Structures are given as C-alpha cells and as structure tokens.
Amino acid sequence: MSAPVGVLALQGNVPEHLDALRACGAEAVPVRRPSELAEVAGLVLPGGESTTLSKLLEAVELLEPLRERLRAGMPAFGSCAGMILLAREAIDARPDQHQLGALDITVRRNAFGRQVASFESDLTVTGVAGGPVRAVFIRAPWVETTGRGVEVLARVPGSVAGPAAGKVVAVRQGPVMATAFHPEQTGDARLHDLFLRRVRDSVATG
Amino acid sequence: MTRPEPATAVGTGGVKRGLADMLKGGVIMDVVTPEQAKIAEDAGAVAVMALERVPADIRADGGVARMSDPDMVRGIVESVSIPVMAKARIGHFVEAQVLQSLGVDYVDESEVLTPADEAHHIDKWAFTVPFVCGATNLGEALRRLGEGAAMIRSKGEAGTGNVVEATRHMRAIRSEIRALSRMDPQELYAAAKELRAPVALVQEVAESGRLPVVLFTAGGIATPADAAMMMQLGAEGVFVGSGIFKSGDPARRAEAIVRATTFHDDPDVIAKVSAGLGEAMVGRTTADMPEHERLATRGW
C-alpha cells in the first residue's frame, strides 16, 4: 500500500486506532485537516463523542471533503461514534447532528443505556477467523434497520436478556464497515486487518 | 435495560477506563444549569460536569460545598446528549451512590467540594459508575488508581483562573513517570514506598511509561492557550471549571478552548481562536494564598 491510512483525529481514542493499524503493518496517520484527508487511502472514524465529532467536522471544514471522498468510494471504518457518523440516520441524536450517509443504516444512539449499562461481551464476527472477538460497548449505539446491500457482520448474543439480544452491532456495505463496539480497545487487531484488506482491494482496483 | 449474562459484564475496568478514552482530546466543562449545559454541548464539549456552583463561587461563598441537588443533576442529564459527570465529596460514598442512581456517566471525587472523610477516599471498586480523581503528583494518582479510579486529572487550584498549579501537577506527574521508566526493576519497590503507591501499579507505569488510565488536566484553565499548553505538557484532555461561565462571552470562549485543544500543537489556530474573546475570568494568584483556601492540598 503506497498511501497511508488515516484516523480522524479531532477527538476520541485516536492513538489506539493508530496503534492497531500499525500493528497490522499499515502506515497510519492522524487526519485533522482537508489536506491530510486528501492524502489517505482509507479513513478510520474512531470512538469518541458523536455530537462533538459532528460539530468539529463542520467547524474545521472537513465535513464536505469527507462526504466527497466517501461518495467516491474511499474505504472507511467507524467504531461507535464513527458508526453513528457513517450512518444514514441516527435516532436519539441531536437534530443538527451531521450524517455522512456512507452506510444505509439507521442507528440508535446510546441504545444500551447510559454509562452504567456499558458492557463487554464475546461476539462472533463474520469474516474474522480465530474465535470470538471481545467486544467493549461504551454508551454504544445499535443498528435498528439495514438497507439493501448492507451485510450484517455481528449481532449481540441471544443470551443477553432484554431488547439488546440479537441487535445488529457490526455491518459492512461495499468499502465501508462499522462496529458499535470498540475493537481498538482490546489489542485485538483482527477487525482492523479486515478493514485494511478492503483498503488494499480498493487501491488495487483503483 | 440490559441485564447481561455471565459471558457479558458491566462495570469492568475496560468499560470504565474506556469511556475516559472516548473523551480524549476533548474539553469537559463545568455547568450549573441545563442552559449552560446546552451552550457547552453546542460549543463542542465532550462532556459536562454538573455542579451547583462553579469553584470560583464556592471560594467566594465559603461554607460547606456538597453534592448538587438531584433535581439539578437530573435536569442536566436530560438536557444534553453528551456524557454528564457530577462531583461527590472526597470519601462521601453515599453521595457517589446517589449520583450512580441518578444515571450520571462519571463521578468526580473532588477536592473542590468539602471533604467528608479525612483519611479515606471512596472505595471506587464497589461501583459500576466510573470515577475520576484529582492528583498533584504520581503517588497520589496511583493511590487513587489503587482505590479504583478509572481516570485521573491534575488538581490545579480550581476557581482561580490561574494555571500555575495545574502546570506544576502535570509536570510533576510526567517527570515522575519518566524517572520510574529509567529505574532498575529492583529499585521499584523502594520507589513504591517513596511514592506511597501500590507496587504493582508502580511496576506497570515503569514498564509502559504512562499511567494505565487517561490523564486530563484541571484547575485554573481560563484561555485557549492555557488548554493548549496543558495538552503540550502531556494532558490527554481538559477540564474547564469557572473559566468559561465566569468570562465575558462563554459560548465563544468555550468554542475557542475546544478548538485550541484539538489543534494544541498549531499556534496559528490558537492565535486565530484567541482573538477578540472578550474578558477572561478575573484570576487570582496562588503563591500568597493562605493554606486553608487551598483546594489542591485536600485528598490524601
């Protein structure tokens, strides 16, 4: 891969994503400016506060360039807040929250509840070999509806009681994937590896 | 409400420390009303700290400062979509229980309020809600981690608009970490004794060269340049207390501090956002401050 992969670095757990990408052998760089966005072959949208990230994207004039790159097929990977931003629609978000619309999904913000309901669990993720992924959910969203062309990669285990059971928490649509949980928090880079394979495919097919 | 099965778990170290990770690079603002909370959220705050009086007013009013009225905390929780933190007195585990029951996302066991226990901090392992605690040096930070804190902030000298104490604390914590990293493993036991901190945590910090949790700065931050300096000194995010709502134009100042935190290494951006902000809060010096007025010395 010639061009580096970026991590949106306005706020959130940016270093963990950079580390995970580098652990997979990629060159990874933080992205805060339009000129930096123009240089990357793919972009990770990290966990953070989606309300804040939405405001900052607009304030630093990254919103439209990012939409443009996504429309042109740039691979992207969002975790938690990143998933909310990539979605077409977000429920329980502020009405002025910006949606990038790169994934034809509706997400519900803070769907599992406030911080005291944050949890971790083992998840089986399609396309990830070597056993379940330890998934850390922090004030996490879930996916309420998926459009045609959206592949479901993981659901909350049925053993979890209540409305969360079976909810979609990882998806992929073309070059864009997203998780409601934080693969960057556990030192397990298998999901980043999955994403980087997409970036390589996209670079190869130009 | 999710009731996870054994395979899943709430309140783990991972989810407690994890929320602080998500706040990195952001600004957490003290607010006393839902209206202020909305201004903070609009300006790009990553979280708000709900309290009844900002530190500058607590200083001016005197008396015993306690946890905020639950109605007021609830009002703020309902008014914003970002996480809400609230303060409990040092050692006051029942105030913390109440805050957890109100659904706050983080409890700040804070020296800004009047301590409720002169020897013991709250046993923070006993809670599902995560805690942030203040520290003036590495030993204090590690003692708080030993008690279960999931995030550390410098104490600074809250309510002064004077950043000098926060600078001292950030420099102390960072330089003590560097000193540990250079030590022979055999020397770490004595270092732990010196720091009055758990050996296992001292070893972990020596090995990794950083705290095992997120380190924010707090206390006296009043300008975008203050926030950026703290970030350059190694803070991973910023708490702003009285500095915003005691200034001339809170909304603009809040936005400017957020931007300066994100672009803390870019003087051009800091210059731009610092221009024409109006009056900063009236500050006061700390060097001649009498001992009983100092908040940073609270906590043990």
Side-chain angles (χ1 to χ4, degrees):
Chain A
M1 219 179 303
S2 52
V5 177
V7 177
L8 183 68
L10 299 176
Q11 185 273 312
N13 62 344
V14 176
E16 289 80 0
H17 274 294
L18 290 170
D19 288 349
L21 292 167
R22 287 167 188 157
C24 298
E27 186 193 347
V29 296
V31 169
R32 289 182 295 180
R33 300 175 177 86
S35 59
E36 292 161 349
L37 177 64
E39 298 297 314
V40 297
L43 186 72
V44 171
L45 292 88
E49 273 308 309
S50 56
T51 310
T52 308
L53 287 170
S54 162
K55 299 222 163 272
L56 289 174
L57 274 175
E58 186 178 11
V60 305
E61 291 169 5
L62 265 177
L63 187 62
E64 285 313 317
L66 180 51
R67 282 193 170 130
E68 198 53 48
R69 289 286 322 261
L70 289 167
R71 265 197 297 269
M74 175 182 68
F77 173 22
S79 64
C80 194
M83 172 189 253
I84 296 171
L85 290 171
L86 287 169
R88 179 174 49 75
E89 191 189 345
I91 302 166
D92 288 346
R94 282 172 52 122
D96 60 351
Q97 166 139 342
H98 299 296
Q99 299 303 136
L100 296 166
L103 287 169
D104 187 10
I105 58 173
T106 301
V107 295
R108 182 175 295 276
R109 217 179 146 270
N110 293 352
F112 296 91
R114 301 191 68 86
Q115 172 63 12
V116 289
S118 292
F119 67 104
E120 43 185 284
S121 183
D122 288 333
L123 284 189
T124 303
V125 182
T126 306
V128 172
V133 167
R134 190 66 180 169
V136 180
F137 292 87
I138 297 168
R139 285 172 47 100
W142 67 44
V143 178
E144 291 257 318
T145 62
T146 55
R148 236 187 306 229
V150 176
E151 183 188 357
V152 172
L153 298 182
R155 294 175 185 272
V156 174
S159 61
V160 172
K167 282 288 189 297
V168 173
V169 288
V171 295
R172 180 164 61 192
Q173 182 175 18
V176 181
M177 60 184 266
T179 59
F181 53 92
H182 294 278
E184 74 280 9
Q185 287 295 98
T186 51
D188 175 351
R190 286 178 291 167
L191 274 148
H192 290 82
D193 198 56
L194 190 65
F195 168 61
L196 287 169
R197 280 191 299 225
R198 283 288 147 141
V199 178
R200 281 186 208 107
D201 289 350
S202 136
V203 170
T205 55
Chain B
M1 187 68 199
T2 312
R3 287 259 171 261
E5 299 289 334
T8 69
V10 297
T12 60
V15 300
K16 286 178 170 178
R17 291 192 303 269
L19 178 55
D21 275 320
M22 302 314 143
L23 304 177
K24 277 190 300 212
V27 181
I28 300 167
M29 302 181 191
D30 276 5
V31 296
V32 300
T33 63
E35 292 69 36
Q36 288 188 353
K38 284 211 161 309
I39 291 172
E41 186 178 64
D42 281 341
V46 284
V48 290
M49 177 73 71
L51 71 175
E52 226 154 45
R53 292 175 289 170
V54 294
D57 288 334
I58 291 174
R59 279 181 186 284
D61 297 351
V64 173
R66 311 180 179 90
M67 174 187 80
S68 299
D69 185 314
D71 268 346
M72 177 268 178
V73 175
R74 209 177 280 122
I76 288 173
V77 163
E78 283 163 10
S79 70
V80 290
S81 76
I82 53 180
V84 176
M85 301 184 167
K87 289 183 193 291
R89 282 180 267 177
I90 289 174
H92 207 313
F93 51 88
V94 174
E95 285 189 349
Q97 290 165 2
V98 170
L99 293 173
Q100 173 166 290
S101 117
L102 290 172
V104 307
D105 297 294
Y106 242 91
V107 174
D108 182 4
E109 186 182 17
S110 177
E111 70 284 359
V112 168
L113 306 183
T114 310
D117 191 319
E118 292 180 327
H120 308 283
H121 282 249
I122 297 169
D123 172 11
K124 293 164 274 288
W125 297 113
F127 289 78
T128 306
V129 69
F131 281 74
V132 55
C133 286
T136 57
N137 56 48
L138 181 61
E140 197 174 355
L142 297 182
R143 287 195 292 281
R144 297 296 85 81
L145 295 182
E147 299 154 0
M151 179 181 188
I152 295 292
R153 56 171 175 77
S154 67
K155 282 183 172 172
E157 195 57 56
T160 61
N162 185 343
V163 84
V164 67
E165 302 293 326
T167 304
R168 189 206 314 280
H169 303 160
M170 290 306 302
R171 283 200 184 277
I173 292 169
R174 301 274 296 176
S175 83
E176 287 167 318
I177 290 174
R178 280 194 298 274
L180 281 189
S181 299
R182 287 192 299 267
M183 277 182 197
D184 185 285
Q186 293 177 355
E187 296 168 347
L188 294 175
Y189 304 99
K193 190 174 139 195
E194 189 81 8
L195 290 166
R196 295 189 291 131
V199 174
L201 283 172
V202 169
Q203 289 167 329
E204 188 178 346
V205 169
E207 170 83 27
S208 67
R210 52 160 298 149
L211 285 182
V213 302
V214 168
L215 172 64
F216 268 48
T217 190
I221 288 113
T223 69
D226 288 348
M229 177 164 111
M230 291 298 129
M231 295 294 287
Q232 289 197 29
L233 284 173
E236 294 175 283
V238 180
F239 283 89
V240 186
S242 319
I244 289 171
F245 290 101
K246 285 286 165 191
S247 74
D249 188 345
R252 268 195 72 194
R253 184 165 294 265
E255 210 165 297
I257 291 177
V258 168
R259 196 75 61 80
T261 302
T262 302
F263 290 95
H264 55 87
D265 55 353
D266 187 336
D268 293 345
V269 173
I270 300 163
K272 197 171 138 205
V273 301
S274 300
L277 281 185
E279 288 286 308
M281 73 177 281
V282 178
R284 61 172 288 185
T285 56
T286 57
D288 55 355
M289 187 179 272
E291 195 55 36
H292 70 272
E293 284 189 33
R294 290 179 184 270
L295 305 180
T297 53
R298 295 170 169 180
W300 3 96

